[in-house]
Amino acid sequence: MIKAVLIGYGNVNSHLLKALANSNKTAVVQLYTRSEIQLPTAFQSIPHTQDLNELKEADVYIVAISDDAILDFSENLPLNNQLVVHTSGGVSIDNLSKKNRRGVFYPLQTFSKDTVVDFKSIPICIEADDPKDEALLQAMGEAVSDRVVKINSDERAKIHVAAVFVNNFVNYLYYIGQDILKQDGIPFDILTPLIQETAHKIEDLSPEKAQTGPAKRNDKKTIEKHQHLLHNETYKEVYALLTKLIQEHHAK
Amino acid sequence: MIKAVLIGYGNVNSHLLKALANSNKTAVVQLYTRSEIQLPTAFQSIPHTQDLNELKEADVYIVAISDDAILDFSENLPLNNQLVVHTSGGVSIDNLSKKNRRGVFYPLQTFSKDTVVDFKSIPICIEADDPKDEALLQAMGEAVSDRVVKINSDERAKIHVAAVFVNNFVNYLYYIGQDILKQDGIPFDILTPLIQETAHKIEDLSPEKAQTGPAKRNDKKTIEKHQHLLHNETYKEVYALLTKLIQEHHAK
């Protein structure tokens, strides 16, 4: 049984707490939060503290706080030679204090507190200075997920950039789509099946092979018509840039 | 029973043929193609011609050919005063010859010939000059789909632009994500759960509320780090533009 103390109760740890508490290979022995919180009924038996000096003994301390706060927080953590991990995609393992054994346990997913996610399907990227700690993170990962991958801090930084493109930027393109329709009073959910299919297609097909549309076909008449239809200057700019890149890519 | 003749057997009509043939409210009485084709075994009993002068009588003729070819093709079609519809998002109803009754039957989805799609979930956008023809297209739409919407050519043009953003451009962002990972030998499918969740999130949340990431948070340190990590100049450009737009949008 791997015993974990969870530090912080934001989007990541609220989901991680459920997953770790529900596995028979892991136990959440304590939760620390800075301010008072209300735990879901099912987890109210988990010991909860707001005092860092009262942290219990555990195999791993999981610090899921905002990226900027990790360095200072880990320096001031009243622990020594314990396994302390953060859960951030964009932060190097070196942002953790060396007074403890360091690691990373990064679930590669977008979390909202109220959304239900199937944790089993989420890839967990692990990293540790010490091979024994790495083995423990591997076992903890396998307790909650079907996919655990060793990823060092340089690779994780790249994954984090790629995630910005396929998650944050993609979501903004959804917003643009909605905004274009709004002007004519067309409901956004008419695009939902297309959005889902676009995401599912690349499970079987590479994005390169899945590419369709006027830019891919170099259909200049349609491209011109679309640019004429777009009144928003910034949307025109996005249209022009992405069309140019797709055209150049597929002209090769 | 609505009797349809299908003209062309590309991505749209290959899926439409299945849907219409499998409904008990519609029948495909004939398929026309320019060149010889092999129909799936289940549909080999459907009459097939390569001669436009041998078109059978039907309630509706569904022309699913490339956008550019629609105008000329409909002018030369040896039919008069029949209901002739095209299936294109980007083409106005006025691109059909006036010698026939004109209409549009546009399934709002991305089709690949080999992909299985659940036709019932696909919104069908219909348009017709004549109210009786519109009623027929409505009935034909309802025979194969749970959602049929009256959309005129101006609105459909807007939907088509919006679809380019949420489908073609989104797919290109998937490609960029894959390419960033490729340089470090990280398999693209590590991003698949994130991509699926990003698409599913906006079924419950507006894209505006679903927005996350360094640009939304105006996290300049992470943005700078990412721009430093991107070596490809065009990816830098996409990153800078979309980051700027998200920052401006959420600063309001």
Side-chain angles (χ1 to χ4, degrees), chain A residues 67-68 90-92 95 108-112 115-117 121-123 125 147 149 151 154-178 180-181 183-184 186-215 217 219 221-222 225-226 229-231 234-246 248-250, chain B residues 67-68 90-92 95 108-112 115-117 121-123 125 147 149 151 154-178 180-181 183-184 186-215 217 219 221-222 225-226 229-231 234-246 248-250:
Chain A
D67 288 6
D68 278 351
V91 175
S92 163
N95 276 33
L108 180 39
Q109 187 52 285
T110 172
F111 295 105
S112 310
T115 326
V116 181
V117 291
S121 71
I122 301 174
C125 304
R147 187 164 185 191
V149 201
I151 294 285
D154 288 344
E155 292 165 336
R156 199 173 53 255
K158 289 290 188 66
I159 291 175
H160 195 239
V161 184
V164 167
F165 280 87
V166 305
N167 169 11
N168 306 153
F169 291 169
V170 159
N171 183 75
Y172 192 70
L173 295 186
Y174 296 160
Y175 169 75
I176 295 180
Q178 180 186 42
I180 291 169
L181 296 189
Q183 296 157 9
D184 291 83
I186 304 163
F188 176 56
D189 67 355
I190 204 172
L191 292 177
T192 308
L194 179 64
I195 285 171
Q196 304 307 336
E197 178 63 16
T198 306
H200 283 297
K201 233 177 170 179
I202 49 95
E203 292 189 322
D204 299 317
L205 232 54
S206 72
E208 186 160 23
K209 287 209 174 123
Q211 189 67 56
T212 56
R217 292 194 307 273
D219 173 355
K221 229 166 90 183
T222 301
K225 204 198 288 178
H226 283 176
L229 279 170
L230 289 167
H231 300 307
T234 56
Y235 300 167
K236 267 190 210 285
E237 209 179 331
V238 174
Y239 191 97
L241 176 58
L242 290 171
T243 293
K244 187 190 80 176
L245 295 181
I246 297 171
E248 285 172 0
H249 181 84
H250 287 277
Chain B
D67 289 4
D68 278 351
V91 175
S92 163
N95 276 33
L108 180 39
Q109 187 51 286
T110 171
F111 296 104
S112 309
T115 326
V116 180
V117 291
S121 71
I122 300 173
C125 304
R147 188 164 184 190
V149 202
I151 294 284
D154 288 345
E155 293 165 335
R156 200 173 52 254
K158 289 289 188 64
I159 292 175
H160 196 239
V161 184
V164 166
F165 280 88
V166 306
N167 169 11
N168 305 153
F169 290 169
V170 160
N171 183 76
Y172 192 68
L173 295 186
Y174 296 160
Y175 169 75
I176 294 179
Q178 180 186 43
I180 290 169
L181 296 188
Q183 296 157 10
D184 291 82
I186 304 163
F188 175 57
D189 67 356
I190 203 171
L191 292 177
T192 307
L194 178 64
I195 285 171
Q196 303 307 335
E197 177 63 15
T198 305
H200 283 297
K201 235 178 169 178
I202 50 95
E203 292 188 324
D204 299 317
L205 233 54
S206 72
E208 186 159 24
K209 287 208 172 126
Q211 190 66 56
T212 56
R217 292 194 308 272
D219 173 354
K221 229 167 90 182
T222 302
K225 205 199 286 179
H226 284 174
L229 278 170
L230 289 168
H231 300 307
T234 56
Y235 300 167
K236 267 189 209 287
E237 210 179 332
V238 174
Y239 190 98
L241 176 59
L242 290 171
T243 293
K244 187 190 79 175
L245 295 182
I246 297 170
E248 286 171 0
H249 182 84
H250 287 275

Side-chain angles (χ1 to χ4, degrees), chain A residues 49-68:
Chain A
T49 183
Q50 292 176 240
D51 184 349
L52 283 175
N53 293 306
E54 289 188 1
L55 290 184
K56 290 183 191 276
E57 268 188 46
D59 299 307
V60 56
Y61 295 80
I62 304 174
V63 180
I65 61 179
S66 70
D67 288 6
D68 278 351

Side-chain angles (χ1 to χ4, degrees), chain B residues 9 17 31 37-48:
Chain B
Y9 192 67
L17 180 129
L31 170 68
I37 56 146
Q38 185 68 32
L39 276 176
T41 322
F43 305 112
Q44 280 176 2
S45 61
I46 294 172
H48 176 210

Side-chain angles (χ1 to χ4, degrees), chain B residues 27-224:
Chain B
V28 178
V29 295
Q30 193 181 34
L31 170 68
Y32 162 86
T33 57
R34 199 166 43 181
S35 42
E36 215 161 312
I37 56 146
Q38 185 68 32
L39 276 176
T41 322
F43 305 112
Q44 280 176 2
S45 61
I46 294 172
H48 176 210
T49 183
Q50 293 176 241
D51 184 350
L52 284 175
N53 293 306
E54 289 187 0
L55 290 185
K56 289 183 191 277
E57 269 187 47
D59 300 306
V60 55
Y61 296 80
I62 304 175
V63 180
I65 61 178
S66 70
D67 289 4
D68 278 351
I70 292 172
L71 185 59
D72 270 4
F73 183 87
S74 77
E75 292 290 359
N76 294 316
L77 197 60
L79 295 173
N80 278 295
N81 198 32
Q82 300 298 315
L83 175 56
V84 174
V85 305
H86 74 64
T87 61
S88 171
V91 175
S92 163
I93 194 170
D94 294 326
N95 276 33
L96 289 168
S97 163
K98 281 206 162 174
K99 68 181 182 174
N100 284 295
R101 285 144 41 218
R102 308 176 305 174
V104 180
F105 191 85
Y106 168 49
L108 180 39
Q109 187 51 286
T110 171
F111 296 104
S112 309
K113 251 187 187 163
D114 302 326
T115 326
V116 180
V117 291
D118 171 21
F119 219 94
K120 278 277 163 203
S121 71
I122 300 173
I124 310 276
C125 304
I126 60 161
E127 178 179 13
D129 286 334
D130 181 285
K132 261 190 270 175
D133 291 335
E134 191 184 84
L136 185 132
L137 295 182
Q138 177 85 31
M140 184 166 77
E142 287 171 0
V144 295
S145 163
D146 291 332
R147 188 164 184 190
V148 184
V149 202
K150 286 176 206 169
I151 294 284
N152 67 36
S153 286
D154 288 345
E155 293 165 335
R156 200 173 52 254
K158 289 289 188 64
I159 292 175
H160 196 239
V161 184
V164 166
F165 280 88
V166 306
N167 169 11
N168 305 153
F169 290 169
V170 160
N171 183 76
Y172 192 68
L173 295 186
Y174 296 160
Y175 169 75
I176 294 179
Q178 180 186 43
D179 201 43
I180 290 169
L181 296 188
K182 206 169 70 181
Q183 296 157 10
D184 291 82
I186 304 163
F188 175 57
D189 67 356
I190 203 171
L191 292 177
T192 307
L194 178 64
I195 285 171
Q196 303 307 335
E197 177 63 15
T198 305
H200 283 297
K201 235 178 169 178
I202 50 95
E203 292 188 324
D204 299 317
L205 233 54
S206 72
E208 186 159 24
K209 287 208 172 126
Q211 190 66 56
T212 56
K216 158 80 184 293
R217 292 194 308 272
N218 200 19
D219 173 354
K220 286 173 185 153
K221 229 167 90 182
T222 302
I223 293 167
E224 210 173 290

Side-chain angles (χ1 to χ4, degrees), chain A:
Chain A
M1 180 75 85
I2 299 171
K3 290 188 283 179
V5 167
L6 267 56
I7 293 173
Y9 192 67
N11 288 337
V12 173
N13 264 357
S14 66
H15 286 276
L16 204 48
L17 180 130
K18 271 183 224 162
L20 291 171
N22 287 332
S23 163
N24 54 16
K25 289 175 186 149
T26 53
V28 178
V29 295
Q30 193 182 33
L31 170 69
Y32 163 87
T33 58
R34 201 166 41 180
S35 42
E36 215 161 311
I37 57 146
Q38 187 66 33
L39 275 177
T41 323
F43 304 113
Q44 280 175 2
S45 60
I46 293 172
H48 177 211
T49 183
Q50 292 176 240
D51 184 349
L52 283 175
N53 293 306
E54 289 188 1
L55 290 184
K56 290 183 191 276
E57 268 188 46
D59 299 307
V60 56
Y61 295 80
I62 304 174
V63 180
I65 61 179
S66 70
D67 288 6
D68 278 351
I70 292 172
L71 185 59
D72 271 2
F73 183 88
S74 78
E75 292 290 359
N76 294 316
L77 197 60
L79 295 173
N80 277 296
N81 199 32
Q82 300 298 314
L83 175 56
V84 174
V85 305
H86 74 65
T87 61
S88 170
V91 175
S92 163
I93 195 171
D94 294 326
N95 276 33
L96 289 168
S97 163
K98 280 205 161 173
K99 68 181 182 175
N100 284 295
R101 285 143 41 216
R102 307 178 305 174
V104 179
F105 191 84
Y106 169 49
L108 180 39
Q109 187 52 285
T110 172
F111 295 105
S112 310
K113 250 187 187 163
D114 301 326
T115 326
V116 181
V117 291
D118 171 21
F119 219 94
K120 278 278 162 201
S121 71
I122 301 174
I124 311 277
C125 304
I126 60 162
E127 178 179 13
D129 286 336
D130 181 285
K132 261 191 268 175
D133 291 334
E134 191 184 83
L136 184 133
L137 295 181
Q138 177 84 32
M140 185 166 77
E142 286 171 1
V144 294
S145 164
D146 291 334
R147 187 164 185 191
V148 184
V149 201
K150 287 176 205 168
I151 294 285
N152 67 36
S153 287
D154 288 344
E155 292 165 336
R156 199 173 53 255
K158 289 290 188 66
I159 291 175
H160 195 239
V161 184
V164 167
F165 280 87
V166 305
N167 169 11
N168 306 153
F169 291 169
V170 159
N171 183 75
Y172 192 70
L173 295 186
Y174 296 160
Y175 169 75
I176 295 180
Q178 180 186 42
D179 200 44
I180 291 169
L181 296 189
K182 205 169 71 182
Q183 296 157 9
D184 291 83
I186 304 163
F188 176 56
D189 67 355
I190 204 172
L191 292 177
T192 308
L194 179 64
I195 285 171
Q196 304 307 336
E197 178 63 16
T198 306
H200 283 297
K201 233 177 170 179
I202 49 95
E203 292 189 322
D204 299 317
L205 232 54
S206 72
E208 186 160 23
K209 287 209 174 123
Q211 189 67 56
T212 56
K216 157 81 185 292
R217 292 194 307 273
N218 199 19
D219 173 355
K220 285 174 187 153
K221 229 166 90 183
T222 301
I223 292 168
E224 211 172 290
K225 204 198 288 178
H226 283 176
Q227 284 175 321
H228 185 75
L229 279 170
L230 289 167
H231 300 307
N232 182 313
E233 283 308 315
T234 56
Y235 300 167
K236 267 190 210 285
E237 209 179 331
V238 174
Y239 191 97
L241 176 58
L242 290 171
T243 293
K244 187 190 80 176
L245 295 181
I246 297 171
Q247 282 175 318
E248 285 172 0
H249 181 84
H250 287 277
K252 279 173 204 163

